[in-house]
Amino acid sequence: MSLVIKNLTKQYNKEKTGLSDYSITIEKGILGLLGPNGAGKSTLMKIIATISKPTRGTLFLDGQDIVNNPDYIRRIMGYLPQDFGVYPNLNAYEFLEYIAALKGVGGAGLRKRIDMLLEGVNLTADAKRPIGSYSGGMKQRIGIAQALLNDPKVLIFDEPTVGLDPEERVRFRQLISDLADDCIIILSSHIVSDIETIADEVAIMKNGMLLDKAIQPEIIGHVDGKVFETMLENSDLHAFKAKHLIINTTRQKEKTKVRYITKTPESETASTPVSATLEDAYLFLTHNNA
Amino acid sequence: MKYIYSIIKADYLQRTRSYAFLVTLAITVYVAYLFVPLPTANYTTLSMPGYKGAFNSAWVGYVSAMMTTIMLSLYGFFLINTGIKKDIDTEVGLIVATTPITNLGYLLSKMLSNFLVLLTILGITFVVSIAMFFVRGSGYPFIIGDFVVPYILFALPSLFFVSAMAIAAEVFLRDKLILQCIAFIFFFGVVIGGTKGLPDSNTTVLMDVFGVKTLTGSIKNQVNTQYHAHIDDISMGFIFSGHKKPYQTFVWNGVAFSNIFLLSRLLWLVCGLAVVYLSSFFFHRFDFKQAVRSKKIKNKETDGQLKEAVVYKEPATISLKALPKLVPDYGIVPFIKTELLLLIRKGSKWLWLVIAGIWVGMIFAPLDIAYGIMLPVIWFLQVTRWSELATKEKTNQLHYFTYSSYKPLQRMLPAQILAGVIVAVVLALPIIVRCGIAQNNYAVFNIINGAIFIVLLAICLGIVSGGKKLYEILFFMITYALVEKLFIADYLGAVPHNSHIMYIAIILGLNTFLAITSFTVRNHQARHL
């Protein structure tokens, strides 16, 4: 199973471009999408989810053109949008039955499947309450449950961990990993650690363009040997920031521990080389392509 | 004061920057064009049997100002009575609640924003009325004062007071839209009907918020003096004469305002401020929804926690392979079921009690009253349900799911239409059965055709405008006109028509147009998020 995207462009108006000549091939497994706000992640996901038409370009899923034949992917897709809502007067069962109808699935096993999904997202105890009374995290969990309702072969998660507590985030990551053998999973997040933990491949986007797509070690390879840590006087921090790409700072009394990227570390400061991470590479790539 | 200005400005821009408001303005232009018909037209807006006013600037200016005042006061209320609700829905209210702004400051800014919205519409009718005077040029000189004075003295204080009433309605009746409608219509009826029956006196002038009595009194005096007639009653509203009757033309040069009338205008402005001031003591400051919700949650959570304490276990892991297999099911029955559930659960239970009462009443009431009054009313009570039929996905941000579902256009939209029609037909059952027993198949067909029309209108306006207001206002105006037996508003065959075939064809034609428009526009929307 593969999703082939070629020369995709989404032009909202003369000034605003969502995607620009974007090409990517997505195979089974988890693809993590990283990019700053406005990079085009949600636009890409909406186009794949068939709720937005590209201005130009093609999308083929297993050879089927899903721009002109959206129902082909709709039957096998699970989609969790970033800002989705619910019908507040329905309870979890009624809502999921409704979503099942939307997805065109039913049968004797539906109720049991809903039970198991609710149990899986830890909502069984609240399943008969109106969803309008749920907390943000609970709504997010019912969003995850609905995405899995129809045996999806393509799963699209746009910022799925927003609102989840740390424990639920861990459970979600585990769930996604378990699903990856049989599905194409596209996952966008601002939380790099979420992507780092589970994504087989990572695509970094900016300004509607694809900066790089590769397995994590290759992405991290961009900054291998370039990441350092040093201790600075607080007063020197400002000048240091002007010269280097700062990844992180940690205040420690009068001094600040600084993690930064450079080809040539400051000789006058005692900089220590450290192992590069996906976050380092992401910041390096998006900063260098400003 | 500066922050109040900023709130008014933001609120005004938020409300007016919508497609629905643009459509409202377009309708306003058309309605304003109809406000002052030529004496030769087959309808009047200010009716005295046998007499019509000459088309001079006083007649055009005053009559258009008065018609605008009355119509805009009535339907304008429904346009502006969700200013606070919007802040609740968007949760902007929670931010407002944490700021130093006082209740009075907030409500005052909302009221002034209401007023500005109405003023925008008023401004358009003012310009159109002047344009109409020149377009229909009747040879009389143009006097600008004949336009400016009535708009200032009749319309401004009335709309100011209506803006304040909308605030009071939102504060005291919160989100009970239907109850707000009933309360305002009651108030409107009392003011219009009450002052009409009162003798001419200073007290009457003071009580007349819209100034109708003063205007009609002046016109009545002119006719009675000029023709030695004994006109007692002047009716206002769109009144069709059907065929042209002989009439005499009188020349009327406007109202000579008394000091007590001018004082009354000031009084209603002060009353508007007083209403807002009083409301500020009862304003929930956005704690209402939270309080109710947290109370409910608290009770239920307590129950839930008790249960969880006994049966808590580690959440199961999900394996897609282990989940029961499902079969394809592309039918629309589950949608209809959900749509019906949503329709039934929308609104409060007391409203269903009222509806049940009217429904039972339709079994026993004389058929003409049940058909001509009770049926339009019981259907109008569904206004907030039907207006949501095609807008609720967007409002609840569920459109991501519905638009990306399998064949949404062929399954979702028909289900929404069918659910709405089922509700309408069930509510009309007593009339349908009675007409059926009387073998009046024409009426049965018309009621079902009308049910489809009113639901399709909700769907179409919801899809095209993206909001509920346009339909709610239009439905209110249609119902009001229908109860008043205005044949042009008769969508369910309750008023006699000259040609049965033509009438059925018109409604069927409208239904087809609404259906095609709905499907076409939704088809575009579903792929262009």
Side-chain angles (χ1 to χ4, degrees):
Chain A
M1 175 174 262
S2 67
L3 180 65
V4 182
I5 296 171
K6 280 188 182 163
N7 310 114
L8 209 62
T9 297
K10 179 73 182 182
Q11 191 86 38
Y12 289 106
N13 52 46
K14 277 183 183 173
E15 286 83 35
K16 194 178 173 195
T17 304
L19 286 174
S20 179
D21 205 24
Y22 191 100
S23 297
I24 192 169
T25 298
I26 307 170
E27 308 282 350
K28 266 185 192 173
I30 303 171
L31 173 73
L33 285 182
L34 282 174
N37 290 332
K41 303 187 294 294
S42 291
T43 303
L44 176 66
M45 290 181 147
K46 280 181 188 172
I47 291 174
I48 298 172
T50 71
I51 53 175
S52 181
K53 264 189 170 176
T55 313
R56 282 186 299 280
T58 56
L59 277 93
F60 285 91
L61 177 67
D62 291 341
Q64 289 283 333
D65 178 357
I66 60 168
V67 174
N68 294 316
N69 181 17
D71 288 326
Y72 181 76
I73 191 171
R74 284 172 178 176
R75 276 182 289 201
I76 53 167
M77 179 178 68
Y79 175 40
L80 179 67
Q82 188 175 355
D83 303 312
F84 76 97
V86 292
Y87 286 143
N89 290 335
L90 298 183
N91 65 35
Y93 280 111
E94 291 162 344
F95 179 70
L96 290 178
E97 278 171 1
Y98 175 70
I99 296 288
L102 284 174
K103 290 169 181 262
V105 290
L110 178 61
R111 185 76 178 192
K112 179 72 182 160
R113 193 178 174 96
I114 290 174
D115 271 332
M116 290 173 77
L117 284 171
L118 286 174
E119 200 178 337
V121 295
N122 202 13
L123 282 175
T124 305
D126 302 286
K128 291 190 174 166
R129 263 173 47 187
I131 308 176
S133 65
Y134 281 15
S135 67
M138 291 163 88
K139 275 184 195 154
Q140 196 67 10
R141 281 185 271 151
I142 201 146
I144 293 165
Q146 67 76 30
L148 304 176
L149 205 49
N150 60 327
D151 260 335
K153 299 294 173 223
V154 178
L155 273 163
I156 303 166
F157 291 111
D158 198 352
E159 301 286 350
T161 51
V162 169
L164 298 184
D165 62 34
E167 197 180 339
E168 293 293 346
R169 268 177 58 202
V170 171
R171 279 175 50 71
F172 174 76
R173 294 198 300 229
Q174 185 57 48
L175 167 69
I176 294 300
S177 299
D178 292 346
L179 300 173
D181 292 340
D182 301 315
C183 310
I184 289 175
I185 299 177
I186 303 165
L187 171 80
S188 88
S189 180
H190 281 110
I191 304 167
V192 179
S193 63
D194 279 348
I195 303 280
E196 193 168 32
T197 319
I198 52 172
D200 299 310
E201 285 191 297
V202 176
I204 297 179
M205 297 174 65
K206 192 173 181 188
N207 296 334
M209 290 184 283
L210 181 66
L211 300 183
D212 196 9
K213 182 219 168 199
I215 55 171
Q216 289 199 41
E218 284 181 24
I219 298 267
I220 294 168
H222 286 290
V223 285
D224 261 348
K226 294 175 186 158
V227 186
F228 298 88
E229 279 184 357
T230 187
M231 293 295 286
L232 293 176
E233 296 293 330
N234 288 342
S235 53
D236 296 338
L237 189 59
H238 190 69
F240 194 82
K241 273 182 179 173
K243 289 196 278 182
H244 301 288
L245 172 60
I246 307 288
I247 303 295
N248 194 19
T249 58
T250 314
R251 286 182 75 90
Q252 295 174 353
K253 291 190 178 171
E254 278 82 38
K255 292 201 166 189
T256 300
K257 187 178 174 185
V258 179
R259 183 185 179 94
Y260 70 104
I261 297 177
T262 185
K263 284 178 187 168
T264 48
E266 291 269 331
S267 52
E268 60 269 28
T269 61
S271 292
T272 316
V274 290
S275 297
T277 63
L278 183 62
E279 187 167 20
D280 299 329
Y282 163 67
L283 289 170
F284 176 75
L285 285 171
T286 51
H287 186 265
N288 275 7
N289 288 280
Chain B
M1 200 61 201
K2 195 183 168 189
Y3 67 86
I4 286 185
Y5 165 75
S6 301
I7 294 172
I8 295 168
K9 184 182 161 196
D11 198 64
Y12 174 76
L13 291 177
Q14 197 276 344
R15 289 193 209 193
T16 51
R17 279 179 184 165
S18 71
Y19 188 59
F21 190 73
L22 203 64
V23 176
T24 307
L25 292 185
I27 292 172
T28 303
V29 170
Y30 179 65
V31 174
Y33 161 78
L34 299 174
F35 273 165
V36 194
L38 281 169
T40 50
N42 67 345
Y43 73 96
T44 59
T45 49
L46 205 147
S47 168
M48 293 151 290
Y51 301 96
K52 288 187 180 182
F55 207 79
N56 62 1
S57 66
W59 181 258
V60 177
Y62 277 78
V63 172
S64 93
M66 181 48 69
M67 286 299 293
T68 307
T69 302
I70 291 180
M71 301 298 274
L72 195 52
S73 296
L74 188 55
Y75 86 82
F77 176 84
F78 303 104
L79 194 68
I80 58 174
N81 69 337
T82 48
I84 298 173
K85 185 177 179 295
K86 195 84 185 168
D87 282 352
I88 296 173
D89 292 343
T90 57
E91 301 199 346
V92 168
L94 296 177
I95 299 168
V96 172
T98 60
T99 63
I101 190 171
T102 61
N103 286 356
L104 180 61
Y106 174 75
L107 293 184
L108 199 62
S109 58
K110 281 283 168 189
M111 187 268 268
L112 291 172
S113 167
N114 284 348
F115 186 51
L116 271 184
V117 170
L118 296 182
L119 278 188
T120 306
I121 298 171
L122 185 77
I124 286 178
T125 63
F126 175 76
V127 171
V128 171
S129 68
I130 292 176
M132 287 323 300
F133 179 79
F134 286 109
V135 169
R136 291 172 169 168
S138 54
Y140 288 97
F142 171 70
I143 301 164
I144 184 73
D146 284 341
F147 289 85
V148 174
V149 170
Y151 269 88
I152 289 176
L153 292 181
F154 290 120
L156 290 192
S158 307
L159 297 181
F160 188 83
F161 187 71
V162 168
S163 303
M165 288 292 283
I167 294 295
E170 282 205 83
V171 169
F172 291 104
L173 299 172
R174 290 168 180 172
D175 56 350
K176 295 179 177 64
L177 196 67
I178 298 280
L179 204 58
Q180 287 182 27
C181 289
I182 293 168
F184 186 72
I185 290 167
F186 179 75
F187 163 79
F188 191 82
V190 165
V191 171
I192 296 280
T195 50
K196 196 176 176 183
L198 290 174
D200 293 339
S201 70
N202 286 346
T203 315
T204 309
V205 172
L206 284 173
M207 286 171 62
D208 186 10
V209 58
F210 303 117
V212 179
K213 188 90 176 168
T214 300
L215 179 83
T216 55
S218 168
I219 294 171
K220 200 166 63 180
N221 287 341
Q222 176 64 33
V223 175
N224 288 344
T225 309
Q226 192 172 334
Y227 290 104
H228 305 291
H230 300 284
I231 299 285
D232 277 335
D233 190 27
I234 295 181
S235 304
M236 298 197 78
F238 288 96
I239 299 151
F240 288 80
S241 53
H243 53 276
K244 287 170 189 169
K245 293 175 183 171
Y247 61 86
Q248 291 179 292
T249 308
F250 63 93
V251 178
W252 177 73
N253 290 315
V255 180
F257 294 110
S258 64
N259 286 340
I260 198 78
F261 176 80
L262 297 175
L263 183 67
S264 81
R265 303 292 84 195
L266 198 62
L267 177 76
W268 286 108
L269 290 175
V270 174
C271 280
L273 291 173
V275 165
V276 174
Y277 180 68
L278 186 69
S279 302
S280 69
F281 291 105
F282 299 90
F283 179 48
H284 49 68
R285 204 174 172 91
F286 305 101
D287 196 26
F288 160 67
K289 195 175 172 186
Q290 201 63 35
V292 172
R293 182 180 283 182
S294 50
K295 193 178 168 188
K296 281 183 187 166
I297 291 171
K298 201 178 171 185
N299 292 338
K300 286 176 181 171
E301 275 182 351
T302 311
D303 295 345
Q305 280 160 4
L306 284 173
K307 282 178 196 157
E308 276 184 53
V310 181
V311 298
Y312 181 79
K313 56 183 180 182
E314 188 66 24
T317 52
I318 299 173
S319 163
L320 279 185
K321 284 176 185 158
L323 293 174
K325 290 292 165 203
L326 300 177
V327 292
D329 180 358
Y330 302 128
I332 67 166
V333 177
F335 290 120
I336 297 175
K337 185 187 149 197
T338 306
E339 292 294 335
L340 284 172
L341 259 182
L342 292 168
L343 284 170
I344 291 164
R345 288 183 187 168
K346 167 87 186 164
S348 57
K349 286 171 187 159
W350 69 264
L351 185 63
W352 278 117
L353 277 175
V354 173
I355 290 165
I358 299 173
W359 196 86
V360 173
M362 288 197 301
I363 300 171
F364 302 105
L367 190 56
D368 58 330
I369 292 173
Y371 192 176
I373 295 173
M374 294 169 86
L375 182 56
V377 168
I378 203 170
W379 276 0
F380 177 70
L381 293 178
Q382 315 312 311
V383 61
T384 53
R385 298 193 172 98
W386 288 336
S387 66
E388 270 200 357
L389 271 172
T391 58
K392 63 182 180 305
E393 293 122 311
K394 202 82 187 266
T395 314
N396 293 302
Q397 288 190 294
L398 216 81
H399 55 301
Y400 297 111
F401 298 139
T402 54
Y403 292 176
S404 63
S405 67
Y406 182 72
K407 294 192 184 299
L409 213 63
Q410 292 93 323
R411 302 191 305 137
M412 278 292 302
L413 203 50
Q416 289 170 338
I417 295 167
L418 277 171
V421 172
I422 288 169
V423 169
V425 170
V426 167
L427 291 173
L429 264 185
I431 315 288
I432 292 174
V433 171
R434 289 175 72 180
C435 291
I437 290 168
Q439 294 187 319
N440 187 353
N441 296 333
Y442 170 68
V444 173
F445 184 84
N446 282 340
I447 291 170
I448 294 169
N449 212 9
I452 296 169
F453 167 78
I454 209 67
V455 170
L456 277 176
L457 187 69
I459 297 271
C460 187
L461 291 182
I463 288 174
V464 171
S465 74
K468 305 187 292 182
K469 275 284 169 197
L470 191 59
Y471 173 73
E472 288 172 355
I473 292 168
L474 203 60
F475 192 11
F476 169 76
M477 292 174 81
I478 290 172
T479 306
Y480 186 77
L482 183 54
V483 171
E484 294 286 319
K485 304 281 180 223
L486 199 63
F487 78 91
I488 203 163
D490 180 24
Y491 65 95
L492 44 76
V495 178
H497 293 268
N498 292 334
S499 166
H500 289 190
I501 300 294
M502 180 61 81
Y503 173 74
I504 289 173
I506 288 171
I507 301 293
L508 278 176
L510 283 173
N511 286 350
T512 310
F513 170 77
L514 291 170
I516 290 172
T517 308
S518 304
F519 277 87
T520 310
V521 178
R522 182 46 57 95
N523 186 35
H524 176 82
Q525 289 172 344
R527 298 297 307 276
H528 292 87
L529 274 183

